[in-house]
Amino acid sequence: MSIQGYLRADGRKGIRNVVAVAYLVECAHHVARTIVTRSDDPDVHLIGFPGCYPNAYALKVMQAIGTHPNIGGVLLISLGCESFNREALRAAIAASGRPVETLVIQESGGTAETIRKGAEAVARLKGVADQTPRVAMDVSELVIGTICGGSDGTSGITANPAVGRAFDRLGAAGAACVFEETGELVGCEKIMADRAITPELGEELEASVRKAEAYYTVMGYGSFAPGNAEGGLTTQEEKSMGAYSKSGSAPIVGILKPGDLPPTGGLYLLDVVPDGEVRFGFPNISDNAEIVELIACGAHLTLFTTGRGSVVGSAVSPVIKVCANPETYRKLSGDMDVDAGRIMEGRGTLDEVGDEIFDLVLSVAGGRRTVSEALGHQEFILTYKAFDPIGPACLPLRRAS
Amino acid sequence: MKPILLHPDDNVLVLAEPIHAGQTIEIDGQSLVAPGDVAVGHKIARRALAIGEKILKYGAPIGSMTAEAAVGAHVHMHNMKSDYIASHTRLATGEGQ
């Protein structure tokens, strides 16, 4: 299977050719959304940040997504008086060689006129993006994320370890594989640290989980939703053990924070819990906040496992949904790409489903639309956070090279 | 009906299909009558469990018992708890179980 990637001016290769329309404050959301809706194009996506106060993390994530390899051009929609540093965002996108335009509603004649100009801008950006050269792309050039949502007692037996099998194969082929949500690794920190390629990285992995536990304790809730309990999961650490199996069995080569790009292939943990005192509420208010952070780390696509039955997709990067629970699959088969619950019923093995996921990653990278893409799911959510840069022990391979 | 043993050290089993009270189930080669209804994905006791006992699943500790459970009994929020962070349900948010 050969993947024909989109070669960007900065040398990165994408699997989609998306023009993003980005609102830079909630006040510009309606205008941006209307431009996207009127384009009636499956490759024109809405992204944005709702806050009016400045936030370094939000700028970093928006810069990372605006320069993502799946992005062929960006239209920025600003109200005009918000704090978001639109000049810095525009400069980062322009420096990557991608076309970028900005419309400021207060200077563009208001809602109707900005929508009209925005539609013209999208047409121009599409015209440039359509000229992007196609080149062969190897598995080793892929960045793949994984997340679980709506987990239940089947997740850790079927879909999660099947994704782990696929991760092992993808990583062995040289792809960068990223798993995340340190709040869902509480209880697994010791066994995870044993997989680190250096003792110092192992200490960083344990510290990231301790940070998550402390953060969630202050918030008063673990990363544990009522549906998890209804589905048979009793405790955070039980959910964690199931979630952890998505990471497969390869050595862990590094820790990333949102917006950091993996410098090599191999398996990475994305630390999504903010640093410092608890300031902006829950670390990830819903699953798509985590998917956005995976995309900010360069994820070309995301493997989403679900037991209770999530239906989401994402803007910018396709989501492959792997259903863990056979009863859920029968109810929601139209929202699922892979039926991993069949393992529960003896109609398949972990290795077979792992191979199916691996093959599907390659065909989606080659252009096949996922179920959520075909249904028009393009969720995107970005909220306030604060991070310190990763420490020197977090990327041993980069240090060595 | 044979529940799933995920790891030889485990003291709970996972249901691959729902069980109903009175139904015959098999645990470690022994047949017994299921004491109650339990849904798919939920856990039952592999052997009698005492208060304070650590629960092992995937061979790893996932919490401890807050009440006794007989072999075959449902093991869930009514008789076990996290050793880290309290879980919550839709009815009892943040109360700790």
Side-chain angles (χ1 to χ4, degrees):
Chain A
M1 159 89 46
S2 76
I3 305 167
Q4 286 294 303
Y6 294 88
L7 179 62
R8 307 301 172 193
D10 56 6
R12 296 172 75 189
K13 294 177 187 173
I15 64 167
R16 294 290 184 271
N17 201 21
V18 171
V19 168
V21 180
Y23 60 93
L24 305 184
V25 63
E26 179 60 21
C27 319
H29 190 159
H30 170 73
V31 167
R33 182 179 57 226
T34 305
I35 294 166
V36 170
T37 305
R38 292 199 184 159
S39 78
D40 193 27
D41 183 323
D43 293 314
V44 176
H45 294 184
L46 180 68
I47 65 174
F49 178 69
C52 191
Y53 295 89
N55 184 244
Y57 154 85
L59 177 59
K60 182 178 179 182
V61 169
M62 288 293 280
Q63 286 175 324
I65 291 178
T67 58
H68 188 281
N70 288 354
I71 292 284
V74 185
L75 171 61
L76 305 179
I77 304 294
S78 163
L79 175 62
C81 47
E82 75 274 11
S83 300
F84 198 101
N85 189 341
R86 61 176 182 262
E87 291 81 8
L89 176 56
R90 179 193 168 91
I93 298 166
S96 78
R98 287 165 182 72
V100 55
E101 298 194 27
T102 304
L103 287 172
V104 178
I105 296 169
Q106 289 166 350
E107 296 164 9
S108 297
T111 298
E113 191 57 13
T114 310
I115 291 169
R116 192 188 62 75
K117 290 176 180 165
E120 293 173 359
V122 165
R124 281 191 297 274
L125 293 164
K126 282 282 293 183
V128 178
D130 285 346
Q131 303 302 313
T132 307
R134 304 297 295 271
V135 292
M137 184 174 178
D138 189 67
V139 181
S140 63
E141 298 175 278
L142 288 172
V143 180
I144 311 292
T146 189
I147 174 183
C148 42
S151 295
D152 68 13
T154 66
S155 301
I157 301 170
T158 61
N160 292 349
V163 164
R165 300 286 207 280
F167 254 32
D168 286 347
R169 279 190 68 188
L170 288 161
C177 297
V178 187
F179 71 111
E180 52 84 60
E181 185 39 314
T182 42
E184 289 168 4
L185 294 166
V186 169
C188 309
E189 58 274 5
K190 296 266 189 259
I191 49 175
M192 180 168 68
D194 286 343
R195 289 169 62 196
I197 56 168
T198 65
E200 295 77 18
L201 175 61
E203 286 167 23
E204 292 280 359
L205 289 167
E206 281 198 62
S208 73
V209 178
R210 279 198 302 275
K211 177 180 73 167
E213 188 189 357
Y215 200 104
Y216 277 104
T217 300
V218 171
M219 295 306 296
Y221 294 91
S223 178
F224 193 94
N228 299 143
E230 289 155 21
L233 296 175
T234 310
T235 65
Q236 178 65 63
E237 53 268 44
E238 179 181 16
K239 179 178 175 181
S240 295
M241 280 302 296
Y244 173 68
S245 65
K246 295 195 304 300
S247 67
S249 60
I252 298 170
V253 302
I255 296 179
L256 308 171
K257 288 182 180 176
D260 297 336
L261 300 180
T264 65
L267 182 65
Y268 293 83
L269 172 68
L270 169 58
D271 178 4
V272 299
V273 173
D275 294 307
E277 61 188 287
V278 175
R279 273 172 283 184
F280 300 122
F282 290 100
N284 289 90
I285 64 170
S286 53
D287 294 326
N288 280 96
E290 296 163 52
I291 294 174
V292 164
E293 292 181 330
L294 286 165
I295 296 169
C297 292
H300 291 93
L301 61 84
T302 301
L303 303 173
F304 188 127
T305 67
T306 183
R308 303 296 286 175
S310 174
V311 302
V312 304
S314 177
V316 182
S317 293
V319 171
I320 292 174
K321 285 211 300 298
V322 183
C323 186
N325 185 323
E327 294 180 357
T328 302
Y329 187 81
R330 284 188 275 274
K331 286 189 277 190
L332 295 175
S333 61
D335 281 287
M336 302 299 165
D337 295 281
V338 177
D339 171 20
R342 70 182 195 264
I343 295 167
M344 293 288 277
E345 299 182 338
R347 293 182 287 112
T349 66
L350 279 175
D351 284 331
E352 286 166 12
V353 176
D355 289 345
E356 181 184 332
I357 295 167
F358 179 86
D359 292 343
L360 188 56
V361 166
L362 298 193
S363 61
V364 169
R368 173 173 163 179
R369 299 277 176 181
T370 67
V371 166
S372 51
E373 280 185 293
L375 289 167
H377 282 283
Q378 291 173 7
E379 288 82 352
F380 187 95
I381 186 164
L382 180 60
T383 60
Y384 284 94
K385 280 192 180 185
F387 283 95
D388 301 330
I390 54 171
C394 290
L395 293 174
L397 290 177
R398 185 165 69 183
R399 240 181 350 157
S401 61
Chain B
M1 220 298 291
K2 203 168 153 184
I4 304 171
L5 176 64
L6 292 172
H7 188 280
D9 294 343
D10 289 356
N11 51 14
V12 289
L13 304 164
V14 180
L15 298 186
E17 53 188 281
I19 58 172
H20 305 287
Q23 181 184 344
T24 302
I25 55 174
E26 188 187 316
I27 295 180
D28 291 335
Q30 305 287 312
S31 289
L32 76 149
V33 174
D37 291 356
V38 186
V40 64
H42 286 239
K43 299 174 291 300
I44 60 173
R46 186 182 178 194
R47 52 181 176 73
L49 300 169
I51 293 175
E53 193 166 348
K54 291 272 185 201
I55 297 306
L56 295 176
K57 180 182 174 188
Y58 308 104
I62 61 159
S64 35
M65 297 300 287
T66 56
E68 292 179 355
V71 61
H74 191 195
V75 175
H76 201 24
M77 304 177 96
H78 61 288
N79 56 12
M80 76 168 281
K81 65 168 183 63
S82 171
D83 294 328
Y84 285 80
I85 296 172
S87 304
H88 65 279
T89 65
R90 222 179 295 280
L91 297 176
T93 45
E95 301 287 289
Q97 298 293 310

